[in-house]
């Protein structure tokens, strides 16, 4: 008789979007907790500070007037890309027709239909440029901006592939960002003006 050998370390318990309402209901999580579900792992997000809020609000003031009614602007919306992946991008732009509710009750949009995701990074630029960029690329999100709230610089990620984005440009404070998507042709964001 062969006795199975236990792994050297315990296997992690992976969660799904369906587990979160149960955790809220039982009191394991609170409604106001800032978490994301990354490949089944619950990740706590840092609290948003003054610089983050200034940049995010300045972005909204510039984007909203230029957006046609056919474009959905998600502001800190929970986005479900698969059962084990819930992200909370600061801003997300996609055709209104592409969004729907997942069985778990979260917003779901096929990654290839998302026109632009913007993350404002105050305390986590490496995380947003690294792990989160890889997740967005893996799901086919066409364009992903990470704006450094302190420096007012940006990393613009384009051309998603399975291992990340093929085109990543680091832009200085005096740059003007313009999304590539046809539906967003009227948008431009001057980084230095995000005050």
């Amino acid at each position: 008789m062969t006795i199975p050998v236990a792994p050297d370390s315990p296997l992690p318990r992976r969660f799904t979007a369906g587990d979160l309402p149960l955790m809220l209901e039982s009191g394991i999580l609170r409604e106001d907790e800032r978490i994301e579900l990354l490949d089944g792992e619950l990740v706590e997000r840092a609290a948003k500070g003054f610089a983050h809020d200034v940049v995010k609000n300045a972005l909204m003031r510039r984007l909203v007037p230029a957006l046609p009614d056919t474009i959905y602007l998600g502001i800190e919306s929970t986005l479900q890309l698969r059962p084990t992946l819930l992200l909370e991008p600061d801003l997300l732009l996609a055709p209104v027709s592409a969004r729907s509710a997942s069985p778990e009750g979260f917003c779901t949009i096929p990654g290839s239909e998302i026109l632009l995701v913007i993350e404002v990074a105050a305390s986590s630029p490496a995380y947003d440029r690294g792990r989160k960029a890889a997740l967005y690329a893996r799901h086919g999100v066409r364009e992903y901006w990470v704006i450094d709230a302190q420096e007012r610089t940006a990393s613009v990620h384009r051309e998603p592939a399975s291992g990340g984005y093929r085109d990543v440009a680091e832009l200085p404070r005096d740059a003007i960002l313009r999304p590539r998507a046809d539906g967003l042709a009227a948008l431009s964001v001057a980084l230095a003006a995000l005050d």
Side-chain angles (χ1 to χ4, degrees):
M1 177 175 153
T2 304
I3 299 173
V5 178
D8 288 342
S9 60
L11 297 174
R13 162 67 161 91
R14 299 288 179 198
F15 298 102
T16 67
D19 293 326
L20 295 185
L22 299 172
M23 290 180 187
L24 287 166
E25 186 179 302
S26 66
I28 295 170
L29 292 176
R30 293 183 325 274
E31 186 74 35
D32 62 344
E33 283 191 80
R34 297 187 37 77
I35 60 161
E36 289 182 315
L37 182 66
L38 307 182
D39 291 328
E41 176 185 350
L42 290 175
V43 176
E44 188 173 6
R45 296 191 57 191
K48 297 180 180 181
F50 179 73
H52 180 280
D53 286 344
V54 166
V55 171
K56 184 187 72 180
N57 289 322
L59 281 166
M60 289 187 314
R61 283 193 311 275
R62 281 155 183 78
L63 296 178
V64 169
L67 291 176
D69 292 341
T70 57
I71 299 295
Y72 166 71
L73 172 61
I75 303 166
E76 294 181 7
S77 299
T78 301
L79 172 68
Q80 183 175 344
L81 288 172
R82 67 170 186 261
T84 59
L85 184 60
L86 291 173
L87 297 166
E88 193 177 296
D90 289 308
L91 301 165
L92 173 139
L93 294 107
V96 169
S97 60
R99 68 180 180 168
S100 62
S102 71
E104 297 82 10
F106 298 105
C107 176
T108 183
I109 303 169
S112 61
E113 294 288 321
I114 297 171
L115 303 174
L116 175 63
V117 168
I118 304 172
E119 289 285 1
V120 178
S123 61
S124 60
Y127 174 73
D128 290 330
R129 289 181 182 121
R131 185 172 186 186
K132 287 185 82 172
L135 289 168
Y136 285 123
R138 187 182 337 150
H139 288 87
V141 173
R142 303 176 202 188
E143 189 164 357
Y144 173 58
W145 299 351
V146 179
I147 298 176
D148 186 312
Q150 305 297 337
E151 302 297 324
R152 303 299 199 276
T153 58
S155 295
V156 174
H157 302 74
R158 295 178 172 136
E159 299 179 27
S162 60
Y165 285 91
R166 288 188 288 266
D167 178 12
V168 179
E170 299 296 330
L171 301 176
R173 182 183 179 94
D174 63 352
I176 296 175
L177 305 180
R178 291 184 177 88
R180 282 194 181 159
D182 290 338
L184 304 179
L187 299 182
S188 68
V189 175
L191 289 171
L194 295 178
D195 292 322

